[in-house]
Amino acid sequence: MGQDAESLHGRTLCGLRDGLARREFSSVDLTEALLERISGVGAPLNAFITVTAELALQQARAADRLLASGKAGALTGLPIVHKDLFCTRGVLTTCGSRILDNFVSPYDATVVERLAAAGAVMLGKTNMDEFAMGSSNETSYFGPVRNPWNAALSPGGSSGGSAAAVAARLVPAATGTDTGGSIRQPAALTGTTGIKPTYGRVSRYGMVAFASSLDQAGVITRCAEDAALLLGVMAGFDPRDSTSAEAPVPDYLAGLGKPVKGLRIGIVRQHFDAGLDPAVAGPVRDALAVLEAQGATTVEVDLPNLDLSVPTYYVVAPAEASSNLSRFDGVRYGHRADNPKDLLDLYCRTRGEGFGAEVKRRIMTGTYVLSAGYYDAYYLKAQKVRQLISRDFASAFEQVDVIAGPTAPTPAFALGDKTDDPIQMYLNDIYTIGANLAGLPGMSIPCGFAGGLPVGLHLVGAHFGESTLLNCAQQYQALTDWHRAAPEGYA
Ligand code: GLN
């Protein structure tokens, strides 16, 4: 039918939805065109762990039948890919780890189920840092992902495969997860739009657990409108996740298009301190000026305990990870060491072989901070500081609607650059981690370039303030073109 592949992959999800509705092309046309890109121009990026071509075509054919019969749902026939941390029934689900390299999930995550029920066509599972631990996608057992803006650079992490796939226009949208910044930081480093909703807004059921009090699912797209479309389908109470919120889900799409006049934007002074690359600060300040020119006001807000967020996170997250990852023992599922001489040998060798260095580092740190002698000094202390950080945000949101700043301190960095220095790697999430500790929604949108590489504007909202973030992002994107820029060779 009519359209060539190029014009299809260049469209946003909402643009594709309209094209399908007008019957300009079929879901099968679209699926075929994108599968060709994934295995063609996209292959060197290593953005995928599994491509589900046959399943996708089957779903696309079913979608075309629904479209023809006039019974289409919100996403019927629209392509999506899932971070390989979401369980997908009958499909390999590795979480980027050798320990799950043979794990075919017997069930779907709620996110996967809801998107499929709305008609989305799944094209595959994306590469990621092992168990979502990392900021560069280099801890993946399946090798690093390359940044489409420059193949020598990291796309960020841990949702690096999802971000790279969207940036390279292999797919219009991908799911991701964010425990400390893993949707927003890769979105910033690849020039894509990423949203991590409020903790509890989206069900965690069927997400391989990293740090359960911080993990939250979200999406990476090319624009705020597409994020609003997907979030509306994904969000909402799920009886299978006791931490999912019962709060009603607003119509995020209908909430777009409101002028930002009167929007109160908080600026955190420490966000612009010495740690921020001046080449990133420039575009971020320009973006704030764009919003101010539309009648938004900026005020300085204080988050006095902000500098404690990275150390707090690196006690809480490893503690929860050490507990969550105890289930990988070689007995129930996943990798199992050959010829164990006894049960202890089975555990030790399975875990020794199955986990990579960063995961082991986290398990050891987490076990240490939870141990009887150190619990009070580290874990309990971190929980108290977490509370202080949450209160800082709560008082800031008494004065402002949104807090804005840079998403990451630098643009994309070279693969290999930070792998020998975990602290440098951890500091990449210095601006994003606070929102996870406080359970707040956060978003990153493209706001310019530094040395030819994308820069992200970070927006944090009050609890359940997703509509405010999405609208602010959409208003900004209506006035700017940064989110439309494509990396060379991927236009
Ligand atoms: N980079 C952070 C970490 O390594 C955050 C990861 C995430 O959000 N999943 O833990």
Side-chain angles (χ1 to χ4, degrees):
M1 290 193 207
Q3 296 281 327
D4 62 13
E6 199 188 13
S7 56
L8 290 184
H9 73 251
R11 299 192 193 192
T12 63
L13 206 58
C14 289
L16 291 167
R17 177 198 57 193
D18 299 344
L20 281 173
R22 287 194 296 266
R23 315 293 299 277
E24 285 171 33
F25 50 86
S26 69
S27 178
V28 169
D29 293 336
L30 175 58
T31 305
E32 282 174 345
L34 295 182
L35 286 171
E36 198 179 304
R37 263 183 91 73
I38 291 170
S39 61
V41 68
L45 297 172
N46 197 27
F48 285 81
I49 292 175
T50 304
V51 179
T52 50
E54 260 172 57
L55 183 66
L57 287 166
Q58 218 175 301
Q59 291 178 343
R61 282 191 288 269
D64 282 333
R65 286 193 294 273
L66 273 181
L67 285 159
S69 67
K71 289 192 202 118
L75 303 175
T76 299
L78 295 176
I80 190 136
V81 295
H82 295 300
K83 184 177 184 177
D84 206 17
L85 175 154
F86 290 93
C87 284
T88 40
R89 185 156 43 93
V91 175
L92 190 67
T93 299
T94 69
C95 215
S97 182
R98 182 180 183 200
I99 213 156
L100 286 173
D101 73 348
N102 60 2
F103 176 63
V104 175
S105 173
Y107 67 97
D108 276 331
T110 297
V111 162
V112 171
E113 193 180 88
R114 288 191 179 175
L115 292 168
V121 172
M122 178 180 83
L123 270 48
K125 306 288 297 286
T126 55
N127 201 347
M128 54 178 287
D129 278 300
E130 185 177 9
F131 284 100
M133 298 175 190
S135 304
S136 68
N137 228 288
E138 291 167 293
T139 71
S140 171
Y141 174 62
F142 301 89
V145 176
R146 296 184 176 278
N147 192 320
W149 291 91
N150 177 338
L153 307 183
S154 161
S158 63
S159 311
S162 288
V166 174
R169 278 117 174 92
L170 309 182
V171 284
T175 55
T177 62
D178 191 311
T179 303
S182 279
I183 288 176
R184 293 162 287 158
Q185 183 258 16
L189 272 45
T190 59
T192 52
T193 296
I195 184 163
K196 173 206 101 73
T198 305
Y199 182 79
R201 178 75 291 184
V202 174
S203 170
R204 289 181 299 110
Y205 178 79
M207 275 166 56
V208 178
F210 164 11
S212 307
S213 76
L214 300 159
D215 297 343
Q216 184 60 197
V219 286
I220 296 178
T221 58
R222 299 234 311 274
C223 64
E225 199 183 357
D226 288 0
L229 173 65
L230 291 172
L231 192 60
V233 173
M234 289 161 61
F237 178 66
D238 176 6
R240 295 175 298 186
D241 172 6
S242 61
T243 62
S244 75
E246 294 206 39
V249 180
D251 185 336
Y252 295 118
L253 274 176
L256 302 179
K258 297 195 183 79
V260 293
K261 188 167 165 32
L263 185 78
R264 299 166 305 166
I265 302 176
I267 311 291
V268 182
R269 189 178 26 82
Q270 300 99 303
H271 282 169
F272 292 88
D273 281 355
L276 181 65
D277 181 345
V280 169
V284 171
R285 288 193 198 281
D286 293 348
L288 294 170
V290 168
L291 293 168
E292 278 181 307
Q294 298 302 306
T297 54
T298 54
V299 276
E300 197 169 286
V301 293
D302 197 20
L303 298 175
N305 296 293
L306 193 71
D307 57 337
L308 299 175
S309 61
V310 172
T312 302
Y313 172 88
Y314 279 97
V315 172
V316 173
E320 295 184 19
S322 70
S323 165
N324 274 325
L325 272 58
S326 65
R327 72 192 68 180
F328 301 103
D329 55 8
V331 176
R332 285 168 281 202
Y333 45 75
H335 176 74
R336 174 180 297 172
D338 286 335
N339 307 315
K341 61 177 194 303
D342 55 27
L343 189 60
L344 190 64
D345 185 45
L346 171 73
Y347 291 158
C348 292
R349 283 202 291 118
T350 296
R351 290 167 69 83
E353 293 163 8
F355 291 137
E358 183 62 27
V359 173
K360 287 177 184 161
R361 185 179 292 129
R362 306 277 178 118
I363 292 173
M364 284 193 283
T365 313
T367 307
Y368 179 82
V369 301
L370 289 174
S371 62
Y374 295 98
Y375 183 93
D376 289 0
Y378 292 104
Y379 184 71
L380 200 62
K381 176 73 93 20
Q383 292 294 13
K384 289 177 180 166
V385 178
R386 182 177 184 176
Q387 199 54 43
L388 294 178
I389 293 169
S390 294
R391 278 191 218 156
D392 289 350
F393 276 108
S395 45
F397 282 113
E398 282 168 13
Q399 305 161 49
V400 298
D401 306 303
V402 171
I403 293 175
T407 307
T410 65
F413 49 90
L415 290 165
D417 218 26
K418 300 182 198 286
T419 39
D420 293 335
D421 188 349
I423 306 286
Q424 281 311 310
M425 192 68 91
Y426 297 170
L427 285 172
N428 236 270
D429 295 319
I430 190 156
Y431 307 129
T432 52
I433 274 178
N436 300 79
L437 290 169
L440 301 168
M443 189 164 184
S444 182
I445 55 172
C447 71
F449 288 89
L453 297 170
V455 171
L457 173 71
H458 189 212
L459 303 171
V460 176
H463 286 120
F464 300 101
E466 287 81 5
S467 292
T468 307
L469 297 186
L470 289 162
N471 181 61
C472 179
Q474 184 262 337
Q475 291 293 294
Y476 177 77
Q477 291 180 338
L479 294 163
T480 56
D481 277 328
W482 307 115
H483 62 293
R484 291 200 182 87
E488 208 185 307
Y490 297 98

